[in-house]
Amino acid sequence: MRWALRLGNLYGIAIRLHVTFLLLLAFLFLMATLAGGWRSGLRSLLLLVLVFVCVLLHELAHSYVSVRYGLRVRSITLLPIGGLALLEDLPREPRQEIHIALAGPAANFVLALWLGVLLSLVEPARAFLPVLSGEALLASLFWSNLSIGLFNLLPAYPLDGGRVLRAWLSGRMDYVEATRRAVGVGQFFALLFVLGGLLLRETWPVVIGLVVFWAALTEEKVAVLQSAMERIYLEEVMLTEFQSLAPGDSLFDAVERALHSLQDDFPVVSEGRVVGVLTRGGLLRAFSGQGWNQSVQAVMSSRFETAQRGDTLAAGFNKLTARGLSLLPVLENERLVGIVTLQNLLQSITFLSRKGAAEIESLRRE
């Protein structure tokens, strides 16, 4: 995600902080300071940071269950409106999606239970008084976790409750149609938030409603695109006219072929088998070192993935992006029959995003 700062890795998951979150911290600190002095500002700042630690735990709970089901989680990004876990694979079994969706609110309810017990022992007078203030950290954290858990259970897609609804619907109809119906319910709730905020003259319900509405539309487009990518196979988009190199070729040979074919990356083939990949970056690094006389074998990368021509576009894209590759040799019976590059896959995805799954399916039948 753009404008996100990487904080580090946790169990192989990149943790990022969106810059707008820092702006929110600065704004709330300023408002609290103007209202009650710098001590009040610091307490409000501490409360917000602790609340977003709880949001991070919410997203980690989603991620933990996802990993248990064999799904890879690429990153978690903290935003002013909450957290966003980015999965490389999407759960398609309704049971899996329900368990993953419910894990987040469950984490908040466990935190609320623990904080509630602690609060009843330390400050029993405040245990059941709703509050959100830096002056009452423990009580505020209790009510924040309870609110986050309950709010996320609303069947307003893409909230967790909406994902449970989508999973339930997908067991009874097509996945894309289930997503569309869940999106419709989510947009209904979003409009209720906006109207309620306008009637009550409160800003946050309006902001939340607009964000949920926009996020629902975005998720629908992603679901349609994902469905289309899983209906298209690499043999339909792979490049069949391409240049390859042999391990004994020189870098001068590689440059000549690059100039004549406008091809940036090359599969390296020996005795009919792919043994490596020479990328444009590797070629440039080699020139800055020992120059033209090196062999391809000396500078090629043996860190590469291959795909079968019957693999889906989604599977090929995941292989390229998961390891930061730019070329994917396509095989049939261990024989190289084509290549796909990140650039030509992105072009295919752009085309699919404009056409949609249904139109692509009709074009393939013609």
Side-chain angles (χ1 to χ4, degrees):
M1 180 177 288
R2 298 177 69 180
W3 303 103
L5 308 174
R6 184 162 182 160
L7 300 180
N9 276 23
L10 193 60
Y11 301 110
I13 302 171
I15 308 298
R16 296 188 172 95
L17 184 71
H18 202 268
V19 293
T20 52
F21 177 73
L22 298 177
L23 295 177
L24 177 65
L25 286 179
F27 173 75
L28 292 180
F29 173 73
L30 178 62
M31 297 302 292
T33 300
L34 291 175
W38 66 270
R39 292 180 185 274
S40 176
L42 287 177
R43 281 192 287 264
S44 297
L45 196 63
L46 177 59
L47 173 61
L48 186 61
V49 170
L50 290 175
V51 167
F52 271 84
V53 168
C54 297
V55 171
L56 176 59
L57 293 174
H58 175 109
E59 296 301 329
L60 286 173
H62 286 313
S63 302
Y64 174 76
V65 179
S66 299
V67 171
R68 289 293 296 260
Y69 279 123
L71 305 173
R72 291 171 294 181
V73 182
R74 183 177 298 177
S75 65
I76 293 174
T77 303
L78 295 178
L79 299 155
I81 58 168
L84 175 65
L86 180 61
L87 276 65
E88 291 184 3
D89 310 292
L90 297 177
R92 284 306 175 89
E93 290 186 23
R95 179 176 60 89
Q96 291 183 357
E97 184 167 18
I98 289 173
H99 290 170
I100 292 169
L102 292 179
N108 291 118
F109 291 142
V110 169
L111 286 170
L113 178 62
W114 180 78
L115 289 165
V117 171
L118 187 60
L119 184 62
S120 64
L121 295 174
V122 177
E123 299 179 86
R126 290 185 173 180
F128 300 103
L129 296 175
V131 63
L132 185 61
S133 169
E135 308 299 323
L137 281 177
L138 195 58
S140 296
L141 285 174
F142 166 73
W143 288 105
S144 294
N145 276 283
L146 193 60
S147 301
I148 291 170
L150 291 173
F151 175 73
N152 274 280
L153 286 180
L154 289 175
Y157 191 84
L159 298 179
D160 296 328
R163 294 185 185 279
V164 172
L165 175 63
R166 196 261 299 273
W168 181 79
L169 290 172
S170 66
R172 291 156 178 78
M173 62 187 69
D174 175 72
Y175 182 81
V176 174
E177 181 60 28
T179 301
R180 287 199 173 107
R181 295 198 182 187
V183 165
V185 175
Q187 291 174 333
F188 171 75
F189 274 92
L191 291 175
L192 287 182
F193 277 115
V194 172
L195 291 174
L198 292 175
L199 290 174
L200 297 173
R201 296 183 180 180
E202 292 287 342
T203 303
W204 281 111
V206 175
V207 173
I208 290 172
L210 292 175
V211 169
V212 170
F213 192 92
W214 171 81
L217 284 177
T218 303
E219 289 266 354
E220 181 184 11
K221 291 179 181 178
V222 170
V224 171
L225 178 59
Q226 183 75 17
S227 177
M229 289 173 64
E230 291 179 353
R231 298 181 189 184
I232 304 295
Y233 300 98
L234 291 182
E235 62 184 352
E236 300 176 67
V237 298
M238 69 183 185
L239 304 175
T240 54
E241 296 183 6
F242 60 91
Q243 297 287 329
S244 63
L245 295 168
D249 288 341
S250 68
L251 295 187
F252 184 79
D253 297 325
V255 171
E256 275 200 319
R257 296 187 191 185
L259 291 174
H260 288 95
S261 65
L262 298 179
Q263 187 175 325
D264 289 332
D265 306 310
F266 299 88
V268 182
V269 181
S270 176
E271 298 179 355
R273 297 177 65 88
V274 179
V275 294
V277 167
L278 180 63
T279 65
R280 180 184 180 186
L283 194 59
L284 293 175
R285 284 192 297 272
F287 280 136
S288 64
Q290 299 179 17
W292 301 82
N293 295 324
Q294 296 182 85
S295 68
V296 168
Q297 185 173 18
V299 298
M300 72 180 188
S301 173
S302 56
R303 178 180 170 269
F304 66 95
E305 292 272 2
T306 62
Q308 301 298 314
R309 65 184 303 162
D311 289 348
T312 64
L313 180 59
F317 184 73
N318 285 340
K319 282 187 175 182
L320 283 173
T321 55
R323 297 183 59 182
L325 306 175
S326 56
L327 176 72
L328 189 64
V330 182
L331 309 180
E332 183 179 39
N333 298 325
E334 301 299 322
R335 184 174 61 88
L336 181 65
V337 293
I339 61 171
V340 292
T341 65
L342 186 58
Q343 182 180 4
N344 96 278
L345 279 193
L346 290 174
Q347 289 173 344
S348 300
I349 291 170
T350 301
F351 176 76
L352 290 176
S353 66
R354 292 176 179 173
K355 292 294 182 181
E359 192 171 346
I360 293 297
E361 199 66 30
S362 66
L363 287 173
R364 293 174 65 191
R365 293 195 191 102
E366 294 177 357

